[in-house]
Amino acid sequence: MVTLTAPTTRSGAGPTDAALVLAARAGEVWAQEALFQRYARQVLALAQRILAGRDDADDLAQDAFVYAFTRLDTLNNPQAFQAWLRSIVVRTASKRLRRQRLLTRLGLRRNEPIEPDTVIAADAPPDIAAELRAVYGLIERLPSEERVALVLRRVEGMELSQIAEEMKLSLATVKRRLSAAEGRLERARARKGAF
Amino acid sequence: MTPDTPPSKYVKVDVSPARIARVWAEVSSRLDAAPSRGRRFASRGTALAVLAGAALALALYVLSERHARSVWPRAALETANDAMAVALDDGSRVELAAQTKVRVSGTEPLSLALALEHGRVDCDITPRPGRHFTVSAAGVEVRVKGTRFGVELAPARDRVEVDVSRGLVEVILKNGADRRELAAGEHWSIDLAQPATTNEPRAATSSEATDSSAASTSGEPVANAPPASDSAPAAAPHTSAPRTAPGARELLDLGNAARRAGDVAGATHAYEELLSTHPTDARAGLAAFELGRLRMDRLGDVQGAISALQKAVTLAPGAGFREDAMARLVEAYAAAGALERCRSAQREYSKSYPGGVHATAVARQCGAQ
């Protein structure tokens, strides 16, 4: 179909994700912005929890939204926008971490350890703070998929099937990644005498 | 841990309106540059132009998808005081500036040809194997190879200008006198009223803008101006003097793209150029902020970061990223060991953003424990 760009008018679409997605697909910028405003906090928070770096999280959030808005046509179920967007964030984070790891290995990027106290809220209960400290003390050294899987499991508290869905990996692969990551986590804890 | 209290609740995350606004500004800017977005071309057509545009769109569609034989080849579209845009289903777009007339002249299958009779047309063409897209203007033909470019024919029909913002085009004079490729960022123009024998010196970049301006505002038709499209221009091209001053938006996009691709040098260069060539543009503040971050985080250039962050704070007093820039400035002063200035910046931050998202981090700087 040929479409003419015409003066932007509100289509009267309702507030559901599906309506916003349909309007955004039609080029309505207000609908893109509405979707952004609806999910920006979630996306930024998820990005920051996975990457543990504010600037990187901003870039990841941008990449995820741009990717989503330029590929809305590929979303079969517009009402599933939220889950689709989360999956984009997770997979984009994984790619980004893989690239950073490569650059680090090539000596083109400094590997800056995460300072757990800059990540963990002051009001975290001691057991949760200890868990988060262990996770964030380790993840910078993990391969990207292990890192993402571990954060989704230990920080986001997600089920394995959900993790598999968001990472677009098989359940078996997720189990292997988590098993490897958790093994490293336990060994790190043992070394530090955390138990 | 229980399902009711996932540890994620206890990870510090700043989702302040300022941060969200800054991310949206970036997303919006990148979407503007993406061919699929309609906003760039929306909201400017009059009802008449829309109707005329529908005719052109249909003509282009028919020409691109089927054998259009006789109905559309000479279809014309003319704008009055409003610009108008046409989008094709493959993402290609054609935008007519005000006071522009184009005529569909191509009739081959999978071949789109527009003849610009006056005014300016900007095209953003999605590459498509086997399709040819050309714009001709007074004997100059521009062949497209998947790109964004503009063609302008001066009111007196005595000058044609072509500028390319993305991709590659081939410019051909119909008498075969010249044929060249223009890449992104390059500009080419020709004075049609000027005989080749009295050719101007090859245009220096610095004089090109003046020449162009003079040509496009001269109201009188030239007596020996060539006819619309089928006679070769009796003139010498101002041979592809590249336009060396891309716009602020273009530079910001270039810088952001380079930064995201890990090209620190390229990003730094683009931001620096934006600041030096468009210091009063609304994007200058953001460019200064990004430059400061790069110099600080990637280049270890603390003094350079301080200079850029100072600019960011000054240039964008109401911007969403100003708080971040001020916090970064405190950090940069601390890294440089400039404790007096660090404390001054610290006080400035606390005064501007009491309870700000960086308050704790800022308070830890400048030698404080």
Side-chain angles (χ1 to χ4, degrees), chain B residues 139-141 171-179 188 190 192 232-233 235-237:
Chain B
V140 176
E141 185 174 297
V171 180
I172 303 162
L173 300 191
K174 284 196 174 170
N175 62 359
D178 197 8
R179 172 190 285 259
W188 179 92
I190 182 169
L192 302 170

Side-chain angles (χ1 to χ4, degrees), chain B residues 32-266:
Chain B
D32 274 344
S36 62
R37 195 172 195 183
R39 182 168 70 174
R40 216 172 346 153
F41 300 112
S43 306
R44 287 188 290 170
T46 61
L48 180 62
V50 168
L51 284 173
L56 180 68
L58 186 58
L60 293 176
Y61 178 66
V62 169
L63 286 170
S64 65
E65 299 296 334
R66 304 167 195 170
H67 273 275
R69 303 303 302 172
S70 59
V71 178
W72 298 109
R74 300 301 293 173
L77 176 63
E78 188 164 11
T79 56
N81 294 322
D82 291 290
M84 194 205 63
V86 178
L88 298 184
D89 62 335
D90 65 356
S92 299
R93 294 175 187 278
V94 178
E95 185 180 17
L96 279 71
Q99 308 292 337
T100 293
K101 184 173 183 182
V102 294
R103 196 175 285 281
V104 179
S105 60
T107 59
E108 297 298 318
L110 289 177
S111 171
L112 303 181
L114 300 181
L116 176 63
E117 300 197 354
H118 58 77
R120 179 182 176 88
V121 60
D122 286 283
C123 307
D124 191 346
I125 303 303
T126 304
R128 189 168 163 186
R131 185 184 56 190
H132 302 285
F133 190 104
T134 59
V135 176
S136 58
V140 176
E141 185 174 297
V142 184
R143 289 186 185 168
V144 183
K145 302 181 174 180
T147 193
R148 177 163 177 77
F149 70 103
V151 182
E152 183 168 344
L153 179 59
R157 304 184 57 76
D158 58 355
R159 184 179 181 86
V160 175
E161 300 195 35
V162 180
D163 51 79
V164 181
S165 15
R166 192 180 64 235
L168 191 70
V169 302
E170 185 177 29
V171 180
I172 303 162
L173 300 191
K174 284 196 174 170
N175 62 359
D178 197 8
R179 172 190 285 259
R180 64 186 60 241
E181 287 190 339
L182 298 182
E186 288 188 321
H187 174 83
W188 179 92
S189 64
I190 182 169
D191 274 333
L192 302 170
Q194 199 163 48
T197 50
T198 57
N199 199 358
E200 281 186 1
R202 303 241 157 169
T205 304
S206 57
S207 67
E208 185 182 64
T210 312
D211 291 344
S212 166
S213 167
S216 61
T217 54
S218 62
E220 293 300 314
V222 177
N224 60 349
S229 61
D230 48 1
S231 82
H238 292 187
T239 39
S240 61
R243 179 169 283 170
T244 56
R249 180 190 200 122
E250 203 176 332
L251 286 168
L252 186 64
D253 288 347
L254 280 172
N256 290 342
R259 179 173 55 80
R260 282 189 290 270
D263 176 9
V264 176

Side-chain angles (χ1 to χ4, degrees), chain A residues 46 50 82-92 148 152 156 158 160-169 174:
Chain A
L46 178 61
I50 295 174
Q82 182 182 9
W84 182 64
L85 181 62
R86 272 189 66 99
S87 175
I88 289 171
V89 174
V90 166
R91 283 178 288 130
T92 308
V148 173
L152 295 182
E156 300 294 307
M158 289 169 61
L160 293 181
S161 57
Q162 291 175 304
I163 297 172
E165 177 61 29
E166 289 203 348
M167 294 184 74
K168 300 290 179 208
L169 296 175
V174 168

Side-chain angles (χ1 to χ4, degrees), chain B residues 195-327:
Chain B
T197 50
T198 57
N199 199 358
E200 281 186 1
R202 303 241 157 169
T205 304
S206 57
S207 67
E208 185 182 64
T210 312
D211 291 344
S212 166
S213 167
S216 61
T217 54
S218 62
E220 293 300 314
V222 177
N224 60 349
S229 61
D230 48 1
S231 82
H238 292 187
T239 39
S240 61
R243 179 169 283 170
T244 56
R249 180 190 200 122
E250 203 176 332
L251 286 168
L252 186 64
D253 288 347
L254 280 172
N256 290 342
R259 179 173 55 80
R260 282 189 290 270
D263 176 9
V264 176
T268 304
H269 179 75
Y271 294 138
E272 286 171 344
E273 192 173 344
L274 192 160
L275 284 169
S276 77
T277 55
H278 306 281
T280 58
D281 188 272
R283 299 165 187 84
L286 182 56
F289 177 57
E290 297 293 4
L291 182 61
R293 286 204 306 163
L294 285 176
R295 285 175 174 171
M296 185 86 186
D297 299 343
R298 305 291 177 90
L299 300 173
D301 174 10
V302 178
Q303 292 303 334
I306 289 172
S307 164
L309 292 167
Q310 284 172 333
K311 274 186 192 165
V313 171
T314 308
L315 290 172
F321 57 82
R322 187 169 182 269
E323 182 184 355
D324 293 337
M326 289 183 75

Side-chain angles (χ1 to χ4, degrees), chain A residues 68-138:
Chain A
F69 288 146
T70 53
R71 287 165 179 78
L72 282 175
D73 286 347
T74 66
L75 176 59
N76 293 328
N77 174 11
Q79 191 56 36
F81 178 79
Q82 182 182 9
W84 182 64
L85 181 62
R86 272 189 66 99
S87 175
I88 289 171
V89 174
V90 166
R91 283 178 288 130
T92 308
S94 198
K95 280 183 206 160
R96 190 179 192 87
L97 289 167
R98 199 177 306 128
R99 186 166 183 278
Q100 287 180 352
R101 206 171 151 82
L102 177 64
L103 291 175
T104 304
R105 283 184 176 174
L106 294 172
L108 300 173
R109 178 182 175 272
R110 265 185 308 174
N111 195 5
E112 294 170 3
I114 297 166
E115 179 55 57
D117 288 336
T118 63
V119 177
I120 304 166
D123 61 347
D127 58 332
I128 291 181
E131 169 83 1
L132 290 173
R133 201 168 285 118
V135 169
Y136 282 107
L138 172 74

